[in-house]
Amino acid sequence: MEIEKLRVLFNDKFEKIKTLKEEEMDLVLKRNARATYVQQELVLIGQLMGDRSVVEVTNIEDPRYEPDERPETIIRTEDSEVPAAPYISPSVERLLELEELERERRRQELLADDFKARALVTMMDGVLEHRWEDEIKKSLPLPQCLEIGKEPQHYNETDIREVKEYEEASAVLHQDRLRYRQMLQEEFQELAASLDQQIKRFNTAVAKLTLEKIIIESAIRQEEMRILRATLYNHSRMIYEANADRLREQIDRTAKYIDTLTEMANEFQEKAADYRNTYDTLRAKDRLLDKQFKINFSDTAQSALVDQAYKIFKRRPKTQLRSIVTVSVFQDMAKRIVAKKTAGTHGNLLLPRECQDYLGHCETLDQPTNCPAGMDASLWQTLTKMRRIKIESEFRLKSCELMLSDAEAAIGALQREITNKRSVLTAFEQSLEELQNERFEAATNRTVQLVMKRGWIEIQQTGRTTDFANCVLIHRTDVEDINAIIRRAGAKKLNAMVNAALFRRKIIYQEWEHRALKLQLRDLRDQLATVEKCKITKEVQSWLKMKGMKRTEDLSQLALEKKIRNAVQNEEELLMELYVYQGDDRLDRAFGINGDIEQRIAVKRKENKLLDQETRALNIDVTEQHLQRDTELEQTEQKATQDRMAAIVERARLVRLVQAQHTHILELGTMLELQRLKTYPTLTASTSVMTHNAHHLLSN
């Protein structure tokens, strides 16, 4: 059996650990004894060396077994566990005293013959081998001068040599003791380290055994669960078999009962058919009696008498026989009606009171006193006889009708019982079929015991098998595929959110540019208003126009005259050069050209005079304007303009600073959103993000 094998395996491992613990405890006891000896030696060496430092003595505790580690001690009592002293009988006391006397006698004999011990002390100081550590514990003999307390100034050469040798020997002894103490300390540290390693190694082995115990116990529990599940399955199978046998037995019993009822119903149907035939015959005979009565009386009597006789023929006793509805009573009544048995006869004793009254009334109706006038006695006798025959036929017809109704009622009851039993049989067959289906389902869909790691189970566990009723076993590749799909969806969402964030940044940037342009437009309007408020002269206006036309030359009179003089001087220099290098012909041609230039100069001078006149007129206007202007107001406006321009410049600087900071904040916000999405990814996007993403895609 697998469980037994697992237990044997664990027991073998446990026995090995137990043996290992015994060996380790023996080794620990030896090391503790050695450590105790080393501590004692250290204390002794410290005392011999006169070391004032106190040697720390560690209390070494030897390991011992706990009571639960030795199960055999449970059934065995040690003497130390008994608080009371054991009882010793007088005879046992005498034996103990004799043994003690014998031991004392042997000890005295050994003390008397101590030749070996004395020889050992004489030859080898009482030991078989001289050890170095024992020798260094011995103190050196003092020189004679030191023993007698001789003063150093009275030392001779021998004393000095002895003292020097003593000091050298003391130094050597001190070094040996130091070396021995160092050796003891190192040995003590090695013992402590080896003891720690030994304990760790043993604890590791015990921990491994504990893990193996957990694994083996888990395997045993799994095997027990498998056995229990197989036992439960076998029990369920036996229950299925018992239920199936019970249902089959009930089906067989019900089928036999249905067959019996069917046979009975067939018999009753045959009897009912016979009763129906008899009933039809009796009914036809009853109708025939009516016809025969009319035929017989119509031949022998008058028509009026026939009608009266027919009424008498139909007359019946007024006694009610509703409570008497049995077939035997009706048949007996039919016999008695024809036989004309009276109440005094012996046969009337078994009839009920109503039947006797009915027979009595029939006798009364047959009395001649009831005969109508005009009817003779023979006709009356015939009439009464035919009436009794009619009454007999009626009673027989009623008895047959009762038998037929009873047979039909019995057939109906049997049919209903057969129907009920067939429904019960159908229910049993359905139950048997369901039971067989359940058994087939249980056989084909058996519970499978799987051993899985805890991290692979993704359902909440309460320690019951019903926790796994609705769980599904999924292959690792399916989980990896689903995770890959989730990662792809997360990546798509992150991309969508990044695009939405970028699109939002673009929108914010466009809004910011729009606001910046609006502010710039407002600033330009303010500058335009400021410029419109400024007043400048016409000369400045003309200079500004020339500057706009990229012509910045000076058009004043002095500038024009200087320009003319420069032109004349340049022309004269040119003529002189031509005269020097080209001769007289060209000089004449140059003088002709010079004449043209003189004419042009004259024209220009006239134009200059006109310009001078215009300039003087403009100067007059400018002077008048200077006289009319307010200098203090201009200074105030100029100062206000400068202040406004400084405010505009400062505002522009602040706007640029705000723009830079806003851009930096947007970048930081975007980075924060990306970091949040990396840390907490989701799979749903808000409506605004989806809208921004759609606009961004459309714009792209």
Side-chain angles (χ1 to χ4, degrees), residues 234-349:
N234 188 29
H235 178 68
S236 301
R237 184 183 60 80
M238 293 175 66
I239 291 175
Y240 283 142
E241 291 291 341
N243 292 333
D245 294 339
R246 179 176 56 80
L247 289 174
R248 290 191 187 96
E249 184 180 355
Q250 290 178 352
I251 289 171
D252 294 338
R253 188 167 57 251
T254 306
K256 290 180 181 179
Y257 185 64
I258 290 173
D259 294 338
T260 304
L261 291 177
T262 304
E263 292 177 359
M264 292 175 64
N266 293 331
E267 292 178 359
F268 275 102
Q269 285 179 358
E270 292 177 358
K271 291 181 179 181
D274 295 338
Y275 291 154
R276 187 173 295 280
N277 294 330
T278 305
Y279 178 76
D280 293 338
T281 303
L282 292 174
R283 190 172 182 181
K285 188 184 291 186
D286 185 70
R287 291 177 181 176
L288 184 60
L289 288 174
D290 287 340
K291 293 179 180 180
Q292 287 179 356
F293 177 80
K294 291 181 180 181
I295 292 171
N296 292 333
F297 269 82
S298 62
D299 293 339
T300 58
Q302 298 177 1
S303 60
L305 189 61
V306 171
D307 295 335
Q308 190 176 4
Y310 187 73
K311 291 180 181 180
I312 294 171
F313 179 75
K314 289 293 185 181
R315 186 178 300 170
R316 300 290 184 269
K318 296 181 180 181
T319 303
Q320 299 293 331
L321 298 178
R322 294 178 181 177
S323 61
I324 310 301
V325 289
T326 59
V327 176
S328 59
V329 171
F330 283 151
Q331 289 180 355
D332 195 8
M333 287 290 292
K335 293 178 181 179
R336 292 176 185 276
I337 287 294
V338 176
K340 293 184 179 181
K341 293 182 179 181
T342 59
T345 60
H346 179 70
N348 293 338
L349 296 176

Side-chain angles (χ1 to χ4, degrees), residues 492-508:
K492 289 181 180 179
K493 182 184 178 181
L494 288 176
N495 293 331
M497 296 185 73
V498 169
N499 293 331
L502 294 175
F503 183 69
R504 182 172 178 80
R505 286 184 59 190
K506 290 181 180 180
I507 291 175
I508 293 172

Side-chain angles (χ1 to χ4, degrees), residues 104-119:
E104 183 65 22
R105 186 182 63 79
R106 289 180 180 178
R107 191 178 66 81
Q108 293 295 334
E109 290 178 355
L110 291 174
L111 290 176
D113 188 11
D114 58 349
F115 170 74
K116 294 181 180 180
R118 287 186 286 105

